[in-house]
Amino acid sequence: DAGVTQSPTHLIKTRGQQVTLRCSPKSGHDTVSWYQQALGQGPQFIFQYYEEEERQRGNFPDRFSGHQFPNYSSELNVNALLLGDSALYLCASAWGNTEAFFGQGTRLTVV
Amino acid sequence: QQQVKQSPQSLIVQKGGISIINCAYENTAFDYFPWYQQFPGKGPALLIAIRPDVSEKKEGRFTISFNKSAKQFSLHIMDSQPGDSATYFCAARGVPDKLIFGTGTRLQVFP
């Protein structure tokens, strides 16, 4: 079992650009959530996908969008990148409302 | 009401000692309280979790104590080891199931 896998591991983007991050959930998991973790902070909930629909959303602007595919994998898109978007982006998967397992994250640096 | 307050911010413990991290919450709708361990550059790893109908849960050297009336819960690490040095996050799951994280406790265990 590969667990939750995220790609890429690291990414450097310029202000104003767009970025797409990818997540493959743990085998058997159908729910994917995305979190943003700024340096020295706890993860902040961005949104959650279930059955290819956004089920709920945290306090993040519309520049943050996502998608879930029929195989339960997911993408996080961020448009018009700001310096403040620099963070570790974490994907977590779960089956129903069972324990959530996190991936290793994608470290995004906006310059 | 959606906050989870965590203390202390940092903790230094000698090898073999007991590490104690405390968390408090306001929202009585939270139904699940996990603790995550995170090493630098890695995603959070689920350590142990408890539901509000249980007052204590023990797994190996790790114990969660839960006080529903006080809306507080804590993590106790017995016989702390240098390998336990990491950042620990408490969290609470709301309805529907998104995780609200504490601000983290950086634990250092010295030999």
Side-chain angles (χ1 to χ4, degrees):
Chain A
D1 184 1
V4 180
T5 58
Q6 292 186 242
S7 63
T9 306
H10 296 86
L11 201 54
I12 299 175
K13 288 286 189 178
T14 303
R15 272 183 304 172
Q17 283 189 315
Q18 178 263 345
V19 68
T20 298
L21 311 181
R22 295 176 175 81
C23 171
S24 292
K26 186 176 169 68
S27 178
H29 286 185
D30 58 2
T31 302
V32 172
S33 302
W34 287 91
Y35 291 79
Q36 180 195 66
Q37 186 177 23
L39 202 61
Q41 305 285 325
Q44 298 290 316
F45 176 80
I46 303 175
F47 42 52
Q48 183 181 84
Y49 279 86
Y50 173 70
E51 291 188 343
E52 302 179 53
E53 297 281 336
E54 182 181 293
R55 183 154 71 171
Q56 59 174 321
R57 188 179 184 90
N59 189 24
F60 279 80
D62 291 345
R63 298 187 297 109
F64 289 77
S65 63
H67 189 78
Q68 186 179 34
F69 299 94
N71 67 353
Y72 306 117
S73 67
S74 177
E75 287 182 350
L76 164 66
N77 300 292
V78 187
N79 294 322
L81 283 166
L82 304 173
L83 295 179
D85 295 331
S86 295
L88 181 67
Y89 288 85
L90 296 162
C91 170
S93 74
W95 178 76
N97 67 345
T98 60
E99 291 86 349
F101 290 85
F102 283 81
Q104 300 283 57
T106 294
R107 170 69 63 188
L108 173 65
T109 302
V110 182
V111 297
Chain B
Q1 280 223 336
Q2 289 291 322
Q3 280 188 328
V4 176
K5 295 181 180 179
Q6 183 172 347
S7 64
Q9 189 173 2
S10 63
L11 185 59
I12 299 174
V13 173
Q14 203 160 15
K15 179 182 175 182
I18 302 173
S19 304
I20 302 174
I21 305 171
N22 301 299
C23 286
Y25 65 97
E26 289 292 326
N27 190 342
T28 56
F30 290 147
D31 68 346
Y32 171 75
F33 300 86
W35 284 89
Y36 286 87
Q37 178 190 58
Q38 186 175 30
F39 293 102
K42 304 293 185 183
L46 179 65
L47 199 58
I48 187 173
I50 198 167
R51 297 189 185 275
D53 54 348
V54 176
S55 61
E56 186 175 280
K57 183 174 182 181
K58 183 176 180 180
E59 289 184 0
R61 297 185 294 110
F62 301 93
T63 300
I64 299 179
S65 296
F66 190 88
N67 186 329
K68 189 174 181 178
S69 61
K71 291 186 278 188
Q72 294 175 348
F73 58 111
S74 60
L75 174 70
H76 295 232
I77 305 175
M78 311 300 288
D79 187 26
S80 298
Q81 299 297 312
D84 297 331
S85 298
T87 299
Y88 293 80
F89 291 96
C90 63
R93 187 174 67 187
V95 179
D97 49 357
K98 73 177 186 182
L99 290 172
I100 309 295
F101 283 84
T103 49
T105 296
R106 186 184 175 200
L107 172 65
Q108 294 174 278
V109 181
F110 286 95

